[in-house]
Amino acid sequence: QLQLQESGPGLVKPSETLSLTCTVSGGSISSSVYYWGWIRQPPGKGLEWIGSIYYSGTTYYNPSLKSRVTISVDTSKNQFSLKLSPVTAADTSVYYCARHPSYCSSINCYLRWFDPWGQGTLVTVSS
Amino acid sequence: DIVMTQSPDSLAVSLGERATINCKSSQSVLYSSSNKNYLAWYQQKPGQPPKLLIYWASTRESGVPDRFSGSGSGTDFTLTISSLQAEDVAVYYCQQYYNTPITFGQGTRLEIK
């Protein structure tokens, strides 16, 4: 059974870099039919897609965050990572990683729903 | 971006009664070539990640009770719980995957009356 687990610092100072890693177990991150995504949820609020990555390193980002986000993958460790910089208090959220099925044509990839999700990790931005 | 708007924001339903949650997209999420609606529904209980309930607007995920059903096409969608159980208290979200950025509705909080 596939499981995802987020890890990283729970407290980040304003203007610094938020760094999180998602470790995938029970399956390979190098599957050709899945992308791997990051989603965040401010306390008490809704869900925002941050971006997604394929095992080859192809990425899709939310334009609203694209200038501050980098998502990378390490297939040897079965992990993918998120960096967000610089951060402000508005970036305080629970950060989730998740898998999503995808279909890739010769031109483009089409991302689907998210399943399963990690348990999430709360990152607070505060001095 | 496709804006997803859910209604109502919150809903209280008696046990055993039907609960209906609506989701409207700012543009159609129906792909004409496949005749599929690129819409999913999730359930989120307190302190837990969202759980996938339905994809392609009406396909129930494996293991999801059959009291949950999805319907609709184009821009208007509905999640129906046919007979509300206590364990269904949660926030429900719709999500479009027609294009990027992937977007979610604001959520509908479902409670017991």
Side-chain angles (χ1 to χ4, degrees):
Chain A
Q1 169 185 352
L2 191 84
Q3 293 186 315
L4 297 91
Q5 180 66 57
E6 306 87 351
S7 59
L11 181 63
V12 181
K13 289 182 168 57
S15 79
E16 296 190 346
T17 299
L18 179 158
S19 295
L20 295 174
T21 295
C22 181
T23 300
V24 178
S25 59
S28 174
I29 203 170
S30 299
S31 171
S32 62
V33 296
Y34 294 111
Y35 264 69
W36 305 88
W38 288 99
I39 307 99
R40 70 179 184 177
Q41 184 173 37
K45 296 188 178 180
L47 300 161
E48 180 180 34
W49 172 67
I50 300 170
S52 300
I53 191 165
Y54 198 51
Y55 75 93
S56 64
T58 302
T59 52
Y60 288 86
Y61 294 130
N62 191 326
S64 68
L65 297 167
K66 186 174 183 178
S67 64
R68 299 192 293 131
V69 171
T70 302
I71 297 175
S72 59
V73 64
D74 187 336
T75 56
S76 67
K77 295 181 178 179
N78 230 30
Q79 295 176 335
F80 61 108
S81 298
L82 168 70
K83 290 188 186 300
L84 180 66
S85 180
V87 296
T88 70
D91 295 311
T92 294
S93 290
V94 175
Y95 286 78
Y96 295 101
C97 58
R99 181 185 72 174
H100 52 152
S102 63
Y103 165 73
C104 292
S105 68
S106 57
I107 304 170
N108 203 0
C109 285
Y110 303 90
L111 311 180
R112 309 296 197 217
W113 52 87
F114 297 99
D115 179 62
W117 297 58
Q119 281 300 306
T121 187
L122 175 63
V123 179
T124 301
V125 179
S126 175
S127 55
Chain B
D1 299 7
I2 298 178
V3 177
M4 308 299 290
T5 304
Q6 293 181 225
S7 62
D9 289 333
S10 63
L11 179 63
V13 174
S14 300
L15 289 172
E17 295 300 304
R18 178 186 300 262
T20 301
I21 298 169
N22 301 301
C23 175
K24 188 174 184 66
S25 56
S26 61
Q27 67 182 75
S28 176
V29 298
L30 171 64
Y31 245 117
S32 55
S33 59
S34 63
N35 199 34
K36 288 184 174 182
N37 288 282
Y38 284 46
L39 184 111
W41 286 98
Y42 299 86
Q43 175 193 65
Q44 186 177 32
K45 297 181 179 180
Q48 296 184 18
K51 173 189 172 184
L52 176 69
L53 295 176
I54 286 169
Y55 53 94
W56 298 129
S58 61
T59 301
R60 202 179 302 116
E61 170 70 339
S62 175
V64 173
D66 61 8
R67 64 180 180 273
F68 291 90
S69 64
S71 62
S73 185
T75 61
D76 293 281
F77 300 91
T78 299
L79 174 70
T80 301
I81 307 173
S82 60
S83 176
L84 189 70
Q85 305 299 304
E87 61 264 33
D88 300 334
V89 170
V91 179
Y92 292 84
Y93 294 93
C94 59
Q95 173 226 328
Q96 67 80 20
Y97 46 94
Y98 183 86
N99 61 18
T100 56
I102 291 170
T103 50
F104 295 86
Q106 81 277 17
T108 296
R109 184 175 303 276
L110 177 58
E111 300 173 333
I112 305 293
K113 185 186 291 183

